[in-house]
Amino acid sequence: MDKYARFQELVNSAAQDFSKTSKNEIIRVVSHLDADGLSSAAVLIKALSSDNRKYSLSTVHQLDEDEVRQLSFEPYACVFFTDIGSGQLSLIKKHLKGKKVFILDHHQLEETDGGSNIVHVNPHLAGVNGSREVSGSGVTYLFAKALNAANVNLAHIALLGAMGDMQENSGFEKLNAQILEDAKESGKIKVITGLRVFGAHTRPLHKVIERSSEHPIPGITGSESASLMFLQHLGINPRNGEGWKKLTDLTDEELQKLATAIIVRRLDQEKPEAILGPVYILQNEKKDSPLKDAKEFSSVLNACGRLGKASAGIGALLGHSGSKEQAIKTLRSYKRHIANALTWYKTAKKGIIKGKGYIIINAEENIMPTIIGTLASMLSKSGEIEEGSIILSMAQTDKDKTKVSIRISGNKDVNLKEIINKITITVNGMAGGHHQAAGALIDTARETEFIEAAKRILEMQAMEEKVA
Ligand SMILES: [Mn+2]
C-alpha cells in the first residue's frame, strides 16, 4: 500500500469510529487560532451540523498543559482537536484519559504512540509531507468527506486554510491538488491564470501594480506615477469614468497586453513569469468583495486569528454577511498593527541585539505577541537583513509568558525548528512549528536566560554554516 492509501485508511477508520458516537453527545471542538485553524473549525462544525450534532467550540493560539487540564474538567466525553494536538500528544494522553479524543492535524509529531482512547489522524503518520501537501483544514476536510460524501462542498474552505499555511506555491501539491479538484467540481472555486497580485477585485489597478511587492516590477513597484504612466503607455486607461479601474475591469485583450508588458519589465528577475499563475476565485462571494479572491480571503482569516476575532473569521467562512463585514474590518486593523510594529522596530532605542549571523528583537510589551512572528517574517523578506541571518523575535503575552518567533533572512534552508528547540529547552519552554518558520513560548521571568542561550546557540550555528 502506498503512503497516500495508508493515510486515507487512517482518515476512513477515524470517520468510521466517530460514526459510532451517540448523536446526543455534545462534541467539544478545540481548534488552532490561525487561518488554517479557523478553516478547520468551520469545516468540522459544518460537517457536525449537517450530521445533526451539537458542538461547543473554542480556538487557541497554543495548547499548553493548563488548557488541556481545563478540558479534562469539562463534561464533554468526545473532544476534537483540529490543526493542533499532534505536538501535544503527551499532554492529551496524560489529562484526557477518560474521553474519546480525535486529533485531525498536520503539524510535526511529538510522538506517534497515542492511546486506545485517541484517534490520531496526521499525514506524517503515513509518511506524507504535512507541511507542503495538506493542511489541518485539509485533514479535517478529508475526515468530513469520509463521514459523508456530500461534504465535498466544503473543499474550498480547506484550500483557504492551506493558503494560510503557505502551501499554495503557484499551484497546489498532491493531496491539496486533489482537494482543489473537489472544490472545482462542487462549483465553489474557479481557477484562472492571471496576475498574482493582491487586490485584483478591490483596489485600483494602478495601486495594485504599484504595490506588487511579492513579485516586484522594476521601475514601477513603489511608484504611483510610474504605475499610471506604464498603464497609459499600454493604452489602458486607468480611469473608469469617475473612479479608478480595477484589474477585474480589464478586457481579455487588455489583460494579455498588461501581463506581457509586466513580464518583459521583469526579465532581469529570477523568474519573470512567476507573477502569472493560478488565481482562485470564490464563486459565491460578491463581485467587489475582498473575499472574492481566495488569497485575500485567507489573509482576512489570518488577521482574524492574529487579533483574536475567531468568530468573525469562522462566521465569514460559514457565509454570515455580518461576520464577513467584521472580518474585512479586522484585516484593516491588522494592517495598522503591522505598520506600528515596523515603526517600533525602526525607531527602537533598546531591545535589539545584532550578532554575527543573527538578530534578536525583544519587543517586550511594545508589539502584540500575535504580530511578532509577522514582523519577523516581513523582515526576513525585506532584503534589509543579511541573507542567511537568523531572526529571533520576542513579545510578551498577558499571561507572564513570552512568545518567540524564529525566521531566516532570504531563502536559505535551515531547520529552524531544531534551533528553537535547542534554545527553548534551556529554560523549559515549549517549542514548535516547521523547518522554515518556528516559534516557542517561555516564561517571561526567564527572558534574560533565554537570550543568553540564544546568543550562544545562534553564534555556534553561524560558525557551523561557515564551515559547511
Ligand atoms: Mn495548519
Side-chain angles (χ1 to χ4, degrees):
M1 202 185 339
D2 83 337
K3 55 185 181 180
Y4 296 99
R6 271 210 312 274
F7 177 59
Q8 189 60 51
E9 200 152 89
L10 271 179
V11 171
N12 292 345
S13 84
Q16 251 168 29
D17 208 335
F18 177 65
S19 305
K20 292 180 206 143
T21 310
S22 155
K23 298 229 175 179
N24 299 324
E25 210 77 78
I26 297 175
I27 310 298
R28 182 70 168 95
V29 181
V30 180
S31 198
H32 194 199
L33 182 46
D34 69 356
D36 188 24
L38 297 181
S39 304
S40 307
V43 168
L44 186 60
I45 64 181
K46 271 236 171 177
L48 292 176
S49 313
S50 30
D51 202 27
N52 291 316
R53 291 175 182 275
K54 293 190 188 71
Y55 57 85
S56 163
L57 168 74
S58 62
T59 45
V60 294
H61 277 298
Q62 245 114 13
L63 197 58
D64 57 22
E65 183 148 18
D66 284 346
E67 215 76 65
V68 183
R69 193 183 290 118
Q70 209 53 50
L71 284 167
S72 75
F73 302 137
E74 294 181 357
Y76 312 103
C78 177
V79 185
F80 270 80
F81 292 98
T82 54
D83 192 35
I84 206 162
S86 290
Q88 298 81 20
L89 193 59
S90 55
L91 288 178
I92 293 171
K93 258 167 41 183
K94 181 173 162 196
H95 293 288
L96 302 182
K97 278 202 184 76
K99 296 180 191 283
K100 181 87 189 174
V101 177
F102 291 84
I103 302 173
L104 308 175
D105 195 3
H106 71 128
H107 287 92
Q108 302 275 345
L109 304 167
E110 178 202 21
E111 52 182 304
T112 51
D113 242 3
S116 56
N117 64 318
I118 299 174
V119 178
H120 191 185
V121 184
N122 185 311
H124 294 289
L125 287 168
V128 173
N129 185 335
S131 44
R132 301 176 58 108
E133 298 180 20
V134 68
S135 64
S137 51
V139 174
T140 309
Y141 163 71
L142 293 171
F143 171 83
K145 188 182 163 189
L147 214 54
N148 185 344
N151 286 328
V152 287
N153 66 2
L154 306 176
H156 63 292
I157 301 179
L159 298 173
L160 297 173
M163 285 175 175
D165 272 4
M166 306 304 207
Q167 294 185 342
E168 198 278 343
N169 204 340
S170 286
F172 284 109
E173 273 179 57
K174 310 281 173 55
L175 287 172
N176 277 331
Q178 287 170 21
I179 296 172
L180 173 62
E181 287 311 307
D182 284 356
K184 285 201 279 194
E185 260 168 51
S186 68
K188 294 291 173 106
I189 229 168
K190 191 172 102 184
V191 186
I192 57 166
T193 300
L195 286 168
R196 301 199 8 129
V197 288
F198 212 80
H201 296 263
T202 47
R203 289 196 202 158
L205 172 60
H206 70 284
K207 280 279 172 201
V208 162
I209 296 174
E210 177 201 337
R211 294 193 187 160
S212 174
S213 51
E214 197 185 331
H215 305 290
I217 310 166
I220 293 169
T221 301
S223 162
E224 184 171 12
S225 59
S227 166
L228 283 167
M229 286 233 296
F230 177 64
L231 290 173
Q232 262 145 4
H233 277 302
L234 289 173
I236 297 172
N237 183 356
R239 292 196 148 272
N240 209 358
E242 294 288 284
W244 297 103
K245 244 181 220 164
K246 299 188 188 102
L247 184 64
T248 46
D249 294 330
L250 297 186
T251 64
D252 285 348
E253 195 193 332
E254 284 174 324
L255 266 176
Q256 188 65 48
K257 217 174 357 177
L258 177 65
T260 311
I262 287 178
I263 291 171
V264 168
R265 278 272 184 156
R266 283 173 41 85
L267 282 178
D268 62 342
Q269 305 281 303
E270 203 179 320
K271 284 186 192 149
E273 68 295 341
I275 197 167
L276 267 186
V279 175
Y280 307 86
I281 314 282
L282 291 164
Q283 299 293 72
N284 295 345
E285 300 299 332
K286 286 204 194 100
K287 187 173 171 284
D288 290 333
S289 164
L291 308 179
K292 185 82 183 161
D293 184 313
K295 271 269 163 91
E296 289 194 58
F297 200 145
S298 181
S299 60
V300 165
L301 294 176
N302 176 50
C304 290
R306 306 251 175 210
L307 298 189
K309 304 276 186 207
S311 56
I314 295 170
L317 287 167
L318 298 180
H320 305 155
S321 56
S323 303
K324 284 183 182 177
E325 264 168 52
Q326 211 199 334
I328 293 165
K329 266 192 210 145
T330 306
L331 177 62
R332 275 184 227 129
S333 141
Y334 175 64
K335 284 181 177 162
R336 279 195 301 274
H337 277 280
I338 303 267
N340 293 342
L342 269 171
T343 308
W344 176 85
Y345 170 74
K346 286 191 172 142
T347 56
K349 299 267 184 314
K350 64 181 198 81
I352 296 170
I353 303 166
K354 287 182 183 161
K356 266 207 181 95
Y358 69 87
I359 175 164
I360 299 171
I361 302 165
N362 186 5
E364 294 177 358
E365 289 175 306
N366 294 299
I367 294 178
M368 278 173 73
T370 51
I371 304 276
I372 196 72
T374 313
L375 175 70
S377 289
M378 287 177 64
L379 292 174
S380 75
K381 290 178 205 142
S382 68
E384 283 172 32
I385 293 173
E386 195 192 346
E387 167 101 20
S389 281
I390 289 176
I391 303 164
L392 191 79
S393 58
M394 305 161 59
Q396 291 169 7
T397 74
D398 49 9
K399 289 193 208 159
D400 298 322
K401 297 276 181 191
T402 293
K403 164 101 194 297
V404 185
S405 288
I406 185 165
R407 302 286 186 275
I408 189 159
S409 181
N411 295 315
K412 224 168 185 187
D413 188 28
V414 171
N415 189 345
L416 296 175
K417 195 190 170 200
E418 206 175 281
I419 297 173
I420 192 74
N421 248 335
K422 260 193 234 169
I423 305 172
T424 307
I425 271 175
T426 64
V427 295
N428 289 324
M430 287 206 322
H434 307 282
H435 269 229
Q436 323 90 306
L441 198 67
I442 61 164
D443 290 332
T444 300
R446 302 186 75 172
E447 266 183 9
T448 322
E449 226 180 305
F450 178 84
I451 290 173
E452 284 315 310
K455 281 190 197 162
R456 191 164 37 81
I457 290 163
L458 293 176
E459 255 156 42
M460 239 154 52
Q461 173 70 26
M463 265 160 54
E464 277 171 29
E465 283 293 309
K466 253 198 189 140
V467 176

